Amino acid sequence: PMGEAPASELDAVLGGGGWDVGASFEGPPPPTGPIRLGRNACYIVLAVLFNEEDGVLLVQEAKPECRGKWYLPAGRMEPGESVVAAMRREVKEETGLECEPLTLLALEERGPAWIRFAFLARPTGGTLKTLEEADAESLQAAWWAGDPSALPLRAPDILPLLDLAARYRLSPPHPPTLPQELPCALLCLRLLVAFANDAGDLWVLLGTAGTPHLPVVACGTSPAELRGGLRLPVLQLLLDCLPSDPHPGPLGLLGLQHRAGGPGGGDGVCFNMLLSIPPGSPGATPPEPRSPAFRWWHVEEESLRGRILQRLCAAATVPVRS
């Protein structure tokens, strides 16, 4: 019965929405203080925009270390700023254009120390920055219809993002996914951990403390935890919870929530992540959790089961690149 599971929470998370994080976390103890940009976290925003002729919007860099080279509009998010507001500001400052986001294309991360939100966006106004308007933000902006790798690029790391954007425009692998304005003091991950066998049976891992819920783990801010990336707290949780090394599949992003100037002035983000535990044999059932703090819930409701399996089987999530 649905009463045994957080039906509303699952519905919100699968729809790209958010959910109250609360104050209790599974896994290792969370950090004692909030996440603060410039202190223990760095968020970068980046945007891919195309014009009607399929030209991509590129910026000629003004910074001394890469002056004259080309890149996508990108820059650091500032404290008190929302993710989308930061992306719009960077595009405006570097290119002269106004824009609106269409979807997140990818989440690139090295743990709390460096997280980049890559958006697909569309221009909505403004005028393209020319060399006469060069400033400390950029020398100029241009629509480039050729092969971007033919240009002197600041770094080739934008080429895979341009491929993702081109593929998304042709055939979107995941629904439009944009940040939700909900507060979060820490950097954390809400986990939709699924176990599906070849017979089409599906289970979801739930935390049992209080009302049954999707487990939430917090990212630590020690040097080792910063280096370990977002996958580290997930692996720690699964190793503590399941009897043998679970070898989970890749993380996929279903959605995220952040509110500028959140609790305690924190700049935390909660990422809703989907991952699967591969079955060891045909018709297998999930491994019994070691702790009563967790249990598997067998998803029998057809619509919900179909939505989760579709997201899993089609890799219909925003890719997470570590």
Side-chain angles (χ1 to χ4, degrees):
M2 292 300 281
E4 293 178 14
S8 300
E9 184 183 3
L10 277 163
D11 193 54
V13 166
L14 286 166
W19 199 255
D20 180 35
V21 174
S24 60
F25 297 87
E26 280 77 24
T32 50
I35 288 284
R36 292 189 187 278
L37 287 176
R39 199 175 301 174
N40 52 16
C42 174
Y43 304 154
I44 313 287
V45 288
L46 173 148
V48 183
L49 290 90
F50 294 95
N51 65 6
E52 290 174 359
E53 289 76 47
D54 289 336
V56 66
L57 183 62
L58 295 177
V59 170
Q60 194 171 34
E61 296 282 4
K63 300 181 194 74
E65 65 270 19
C66 54
R67 190 177 179 85
K69 297 198 170 172
W70 293 86
Y71 206 64
L72 289 168
R76 291 188 180 206
M77 193 166 137
E78 294 172 359
E81 197 171 36
S82 77
V83 185
V84 167
M87 185 274 293
R88 285 184 165 135
R89 174 183 55 75
E90 286 292 345
V91 171
K92 177 71 173 172
E93 289 174 353
E94 295 189 352
T95 74
L97 299 185
E98 309 280 350
C99 73
E100 70 172 15
L102 299 172
T103 185
L104 271 166
L105 277 176
L107 180 71
E108 301 174 302
E109 61 95 9
R110 299 170 203 156
W114 190 90
I115 293 176
R116 185 160 73 175
F117 302 90
F119 285 91
L120 179 64
R122 71 178 190 91
T124 56
T127 52
L128 208 56
K129 190 178 201 173
T130 63
L131 277 171
E132 290 73 42
E133 297 164 301
D135 57 19
E137 297 294 339
S138 66
L139 299 179
Q140 63 174 326
W143 294 106
W144 179 257
D147 180 359
S149 61
L151 290 169
L153 296 177
R154 178 179 127 193
D157 64 337
I158 62 171
L159 296 175
L161 293 173
L162 291 173
D163 285 343
L164 268 182
R167 289 209 302 275
Y168 192 94
R169 292 173 80 214
L170 279 175
S171 176
H174 57 81
T177 306
L178 292 170
Q180 303 297 306
E181 291 246 345
L182 283 168
C184 187
L186 301 175
L187 193 69
C188 57
L189 296 91
R190 176 185 285 108
L191 304 176
L192 202 174
V193 181
F195 183 100
N197 64 22
D198 59 351
D201 291 312
L202 175 70
W203 290 263
V204 168
L205 188 68
L206 299 181
T208 59
T211 308
H213 60 277
L214 296 178
V216 179
V217 292
C219 296
T221 53
S222 71
E225 288 165 323
L226 289 175
R227 285 193 300 273
L230 297 182
R231 201 167 169 84
L232 180 65
V234 178
L235 291 173
Q236 286 176 331
L237 173 84
L238 294 175
L239 285 169
D240 290 347
C241 158
L242 300 177
S244 58
D245 191 348
H247 298 295
L251 294 176
L253 182 72
L254 291 164
L256 63 119
Q257 60 192 65
H258 166 270
R259 180 177 288 163
D267 299 294
V269 180
C270 181
F271 298 103
N272 296 329
M273 296 288 192
L274 176 67
L275 67 154
S276 61
I277 305 295
S281 60
T285 57
E288 196 61 37
R290 292 179 186 178
S291 160
F294 300 94
R295 67 177 174 84
W296 290 101
W297 175 64
H298 189 212
V299 183
E300 294 175 347
E301 204 266 312
E302 280 298 319
S303 168
L304 183 60
R305 189 169 66 95
R307 288 171 73 195
I308 297 172
L309 288 174
Q310 188 272 332
R311 289 293 200 118
L312 273 178
C313 299
T317 53
V318 176
V320 179
R321 299 185 163 186
S322 302

